[in-house]
Amino acid sequence: MLTKELSRSITFFSALFLGALLWGNIVVLYVALVPLLFTIMGLMINTPSSIIVERKEMGYTVWKDEIITMRVEVSIRGGLGLVTVADRLPPYFELIEGNNFHVFWKGIRDVSASFSYKVRCTKRGLHTFDGLQWRSRHLLGLQEPIVGEEEDPPEVLVKTKIMNIRRIRGIRGIASSPFPIVDIARMGVSTTDFREIREYMPGDPIRNINWKATARYNAGYTVKPLVNEYEAEGKKAVWIFLDGSSEMEIGSTIENVFEYAVEVAEGVAYYFLEKNYRVGMYIYNKEGNQLLYPDTGMRQFYKISRELNKIETTSRKEDLKDAVEKCRGYLLSYNPLCVVIPEFSEERKESLRKGIKSIIKLIGRRRKKPPIMLVNIPPYYLSSGDGQYREKALKLIKMRERPLVKTFESMGISILRWNPRKESFATALLRGVKR
Amino acid sequence: MSFGNILVKLFQLVLVISMALVALYVLSISFFGTNIFATDEYFITIGEIFKRPIPLIFLYFSLIAPLIATGGYAILTGSKKMMKLFGSALGVFFMPSLLAHSKFNWLLFLDKSLGLSAVLPFEDILAMTLFIVSGYIFLLYSLQLGKLKQKLLNQGSVEEDVSNYLGEGVLLALIFGSIIITVLLTYSVNYFWSMMAVYAGGIPFNLWVVGIGFGMLIFVALYFFIATFRSAKPEK
């Protein structure tokens, strides 16, 4: 293919040459040699074609908001011209320091250079780099540029940072939070830890009957055997409900409510799984696998983490009530503590209220306080701008939200409001528990 | 703007001014029969068009100023359109003097002659046309290089990287190379012609021109065909 510059040179020569022929003009005929010779000599200079571009020191797994250093080595041999090397970043990768686009001038000597830059991974998930691309240009643009690409662009798994929640105090008496650390499982294999003596119920093993206590208790004619009850193995179960609807994505593409909600879900899962709780999760308004069976241990955490890392919002309309219905069996069996991370808005109030009611119906109230925590990440905290107007607007929005909060507080639900810009979730959670 | 870029711009401006002055000189010789830069007269009369003498300085500025302005504007803004306009104006200035050296005068069909006041010698007009054409090629390509640099900067390249680009130097070398080869060919053709005159003296000039011309066209067409369809693949 003729490039624009080459066709221009040929046209220039042809115009002079044909003009010279037409007029029989020797001067113009000689002068026409200049563009011709210039073009021929230009074409004799080759475009740099022996280019090796390699990526160095690349980690596969990084944490969200972690700054990673990318290093690229470039080697150019032969030819004369300009070589541009670009490392095309995936979306949500922010350039922090340096430059991912470089220009190299290939003169007579071979070029061997390297460049590095720093990027921040701002969104969780599996990101594929578009790969290194280099473009070698002819000195005068007389030849088509040579374009090369990295054959196997790397993939980077960006994991959500696990929140460093060190300790939530066990509070005696009625827990103000639905997460008392000493809660134990309702179901499971019995341990040797004695809990209480109670009346015999059909199905209780005979060896559990406390004969001495039965004798003391049954002084009259009716005999009601008493049995020893032991603590079940393991701790309570925790169930996370996460809303995966696109309405959760309020804010920028990098910083939005949904991203923080994912962070909360992962943080909560890590905290309880580390303490041997059984954690299950249901992501409503999500495509594909929505339910993660309750289980214990770090393997369960990695399962949850993997699921959360690849989650994308959808425009599906599934209510919390429907989600609760789908998890009905688990909620009834495990009677878990529920952490609900919903879209907390006036429009979704009724749907959320119905969902919470159905949870209460299934797991019941404990001393009038249902073990449910609603995590509220108000989007107005993520708004940009500065100054007194923003502050006042925030106050107004907060006041507007108050009746909504009251509705759920009157149901006995504990609401945890988290401002991601001001504090970490761990701090917010501790604050909620201590209150 | 880096120091190198400023130097390039200055060089381009000097080139534009020189080209404009040369063009004006050629025009003045062919139309007025006098060197506009060396005349002692302060007034000049242009035949029957203007009956009264015109101040020379007025004529000088009215011709040179728009030419330099067009070229200067093209350099400063990188406008190719203006550069083409500048080139065309130079062509118009040179046309009469060049046509005076033509073997075929098509104007004779109209019973007209060029009617020039003076004709520049062959060597002079050749040297000046070479200067104008090569200068124009340099300006056109350096404008393109400037645009490429700006494009790279817009794409996010570092100024330091781009300033390392020494395309203008190679461009100059290529142009000087072309001029030298052209001049060598020009003078060697005379020797070749005198050697061949014994054998080919009987062949009329028209046939020589047409024969060499078409031969060259075929050669050039073949060369470009081979050069442009040669594909280079990147190494991995």
Side-chain angles (χ1 to χ4, degrees):
Chain A
M1 277 288 288
L2 287 179
T3 63
K4 213 198 253 178
E5 283 71 27
L6 185 57
S7 15
R8 196 171 55 195
S9 285
I10 295 172
T11 312
F12 191 32
F13 157 72
S14 309
L16 286 175
F17 189 73
L18 291 174
L21 284 186
L22 202 67
W23 287 94
N25 197 311
I26 295 292
V27 179
V28 181
L29 195 68
Y30 285 140
V31 169
L33 286 174
V34 176
L36 176 71
L37 289 168
F38 174 77
T39 314
I40 289 175
M41 284 198 293
L43 278 171
M44 280 158 81
I45 299 171
N46 282 326
T47 312
S49 59
S50 177
I51 303 163
I52 300 165
V53 183
E54 280 177 335
R55 192 192 298 278
K56 300 276 175 193
E57 299 160 23
M58 175 86 193
Y60 174 73
T61 311
V62 291
W63 295 113
K64 189 178 163 237
D65 288 330
E66 188 185 335
I67 293 172
I68 51 171
T69 306
M70 315 290 285
R71 194 176 157 79
V72 177
E73 285 186 359
V74 184
S75 159
I76 311 162
R77 282 183 284 115
L80 205 72
L82 201 73
V83 179
T84 53
V85 179
D87 193 1
R88 294 167 298 171
L89 299 174
Y92 310 115
F93 272 57
E94 189 186 353
L95 192 68
I96 298 293
E97 196 184 299
N99 203 350
N100 60 336
F101 179 77
H102 278 266
V103 180
F104 297 96
W105 162 242
K106 167 68 185 69
I108 299 162
R109 288 181 186 170
D110 291 348
V111 173
S112 186
S114 67
F115 65 89
S116 61
Y117 62 93
K118 287 178 178 172
V119 284
R120 194 200 334 254
C121 326
T122 53
K123 196 179 178 185
R124 86 238 125 56
L126 187 68
H127 300 281
T128 309
F129 274 71
D130 287 340
L132 287 160
Q133 191 193 53
W134 57 94
R135 183 181 284 261
S136 174
R137 288 179 170 86
H138 185 262
L139 175 79
L140 302 171
L142 297 175
Q143 290 176 2
E144 283 286 323
I146 300 170
V147 182
E149 275 187 340
E150 193 176 12
E151 264 191 351
D152 193 13
E155 284 184 337
V156 177
L157 180 68
V158 182
K159 288 182 170 180
T160 316
K161 245 185 205 164
I162 299 164
M163 279 170 273
N164 188 20
I165 308 170
R166 289 182 191 278
R167 192 166 68 95
I168 298 175
R169 274 183 209 151
I171 302 164
R172 286 177 184 277
I174 302 166
S176 60
S177 144
F179 303 119
I181 198 98
V182 290
D183 265 14
I184 40 179
R186 192 179 175 192
M187 291 177 69
V189 183
S190 292
T191 60
T192 51
D193 296 341
F194 177 77
R195 186 198 279 174
E196 61 177 350
I197 295 174
R198 59 169 174 79
E199 279 187 13
Y200 175 84
M201 285 173 75
D204 283 338
I206 303 295
R207 64 184 171 89
N208 279 5
I209 296 174
N210 188 331
W211 295 110
K212 282 181 185 174
T214 306
R216 275 200 299 276
Y217 181 65
N218 294 291
Y221 294 100
T222 49
V223 178
K224 284 183 179 173
L226 294 175
V227 290
N228 289 341
E229 196 179 330
Y230 298 96
E231 297 284 5
E233 196 175 80
K235 288 180 180 166
K236 267 196 84 66
V238 174
W239 197 271
I240 302 166
F241 283 104
L242 172 66
D243 188 353
S245 69
S246 50
E247 275 92 356
M248 287 281 281
E249 281 185 315
I250 308 169
S252 67
T253 48
I254 293 170
E255 192 186 28
N256 57 54
V257 174
F258 183 68
E259 286 305 311
Y260 286 117
V262 168
E263 212 171 294
V264 168
E266 197 165 2
V268 168
Y270 181 77
Y271 173 73
F272 286 107
L273 284 167
E274 202 194 20
K275 291 184 168 44
N276 289 328
Y277 277 66
R278 193 182 291 268
V279 177
M281 187 167 75
Y282 187 87
I283 307 165
Y284 57 109
N285 291 320
K286 176 187 176 274
E287 295 291 344
N289 182 31
Q290 295 175 295
L291 179 73
L292 283 158
Y293 303 111
D295 206 346
T296 53
M298 276 298 127
R299 213 172 65 176
Q300 174 71 352
F301 171 71
Y302 292 127
K303 221 158 108 185
I304 290 174
S305 176
R306 200 167 52 233
E307 204 60 45
L308 287 173
N309 275 329
K310 63 183 184 192
I311 182 176
E312 291 295 336
T313 55
T314 64
S315 53
R316 282 178 61 174
K317 297 279 173 218
E318 188 182 11
D319 288 330
L320 177 64
K321 195 181 170 188
D322 304 331
V324 172
E325 274 307 307
K326 282 176 189 164
C327 308
R328 185 188 172 90
Y330 300 103
L331 295 178
L332 278 172
S333 316
Y334 292 103
N335 192 20
L337 308 163
C338 291
V339 179
V340 186
I341 314 166
E343 189 210 339
F344 203 76
S345 65
E346 193 63 40
E347 292 76 37
R348 299 296 289 268
K349 178 184 158 186
E350 203 47 41
S351 140
L352 191 60
R353 203 177 61 81
K354 281 181 186 166
I356 297 284
K357 263 189 159 180
S358 57
I359 297 176
I360 296 171
K361 210 182 279 178
L362 289 175
I363 60 178
R365 288 172 183 273
R366 271 180 234 148
R367 297 172 189 174
K368 292 182 183 174
K369 208 164 170 70
I372 301 168
M373 175 182 269
L374 264 179
V375 180
N376 176 20
I377 309 163
Y380 48 81
Y381 284 143
L382 308 176
S383 66
S384 54
D386 209 0
Q388 54 168 338
Y389 294 113
R390 182 180 178 267
E391 289 302 315
K392 280 176 183 164
L394 284 184
K395 268 184 194 167
L396 279 171
I397 299 169
K398 219 183 260 184
M399 279 167 71
R400 192 168 160 255
E401 199 192 71
R402 204 174 285 167
L404 184 67
V405 175
K406 286 275 178 207
T407 309
F408 292 104
E409 277 179 349
S410 64
M411 291 168 82
I413 309 296
S414 52
I415 298 173
L416 185 75
R417 179 186 276 138
W418 179 39
N419 179 358
R421 286 201 180 157
K422 202 174 161 190
E423 58 187 357
S424 70
F425 181 67
T427 319
L429 192 59
L430 282 169
R431 183 166 43 81
V433 169
K434 279 175 186 170
R435 194 167 54 206
Chain B
M1 196 184 266
S2 67
F3 180 68
N5 275 344
I6 294 169
L7 269 184
V8 169
K9 290 274 175 208
L10 272 176
F11 181 74
Q12 287 173 334
L13 269 176
V14 170
L15 196 63
V16 160
I17 294 167
S18 320
M19 286 163 77
L21 291 175
V22 167
L24 190 68
Y25 168 76
V26 170
L27 190 75
S28 72
I29 293 284
S30 51
F31 271 126
F32 313 129
T34 173
N35 180 358
I36 202 164
F37 302 108
T39 181
D40 294 333
E41 294 173 29
Y42 292 103
F43 292 92
I44 197 161
T45 314
I46 307 176
E48 293 297 309
I49 304 169
F50 294 103
K51 298 288 179 195
R52 293 175 62 185
I54 299 163
L56 190 62
I57 193 86
F58 172 74
L59 188 71
Y60 176 77
F61 273 111
S62 63
L63 286 170
I64 200 98
L67 202 60
I68 293 176
T70 314
Y73 181 81
I75 287 163
L76 296 174
T77 58
S79 161
K80 271 188 185 168
K81 205 175 164 186
M82 282 293 159
M83 187 49 75
K84 279 178 186 167
L85 193 68
F86 177 69
S88 309
L90 290 177
V92 170
F93 276 38
F94 260 75
M95 194 66 85
S97 290
L98 281 174
L99 289 179
H101 288 274
S102 296
K103 297 280 179 194
F104 316 124
N105 186 359
W106 297 105
L107 291 176
L108 289 175
F109 282 114
L110 305 168
D111 282 337
K112 301 264 178 192
S113 64
L114 279 168
L116 298 176
S117 299
V119 176
L120 276 163
F122 175 80
E123 279 79 15
D124 289 12
I125 192 73
L126 178 70
M128 281 186 280
T129 318
L130 272 177
F131 172 67
I132 292 290
V133 169
S134 48
Y136 182 66
I137 292 174
F138 176 80
L139 285 176
L140 214 60
Y141 273 91
S142 59
L143 218 68
Q144 183 202 320
L145 292 183
K147 275 202 167 174
L148 177 66
K149 280 181 183 178
Q150 195 53 48
K151 187 182 159 191
L152 293 173
L153 284 172
N154 291 345
Q155 279 180 350
S157 171
V158 191
E159 175 86 40
E160 196 186 328
D161 281 359
V162 177
S163 60
N164 286 336
Y165 184 42
L166 303 170
E168 280 89 356
V170 185
L171 185 59
L172 265 182
L174 282 176
I175 287 171
F176 276 118
S178 312
I179 293 171
I180 289 166
I181 297 172
T182 307
V183 170
L184 284 176
L185 277 173
T186 308
Y187 287 98
S188 61
V189 160
N190 280 340
Y191 287 107
F192 178 73
W193 186 257
S194 56
M195 279 195 299
M196 292 294 287
V198 183
Y199 310 104
I203 301 170
F205 178 79
N206 307 14
L207 288 182
W208 274 106
V209 171
V210 172
I212 293 172
F214 278 101
M216 216 165 153
L217 268 182
I218 291 165
F219 163 75
V220 169
L222 269 174
Y223 177 79
F224 285 123
F225 179 79
I226 294 162
T228 52
F229 286 87
R230 185 182 55 185
S231 60
K233 283 179 186 169
E235 281 184 20
K236 288 183 180 143

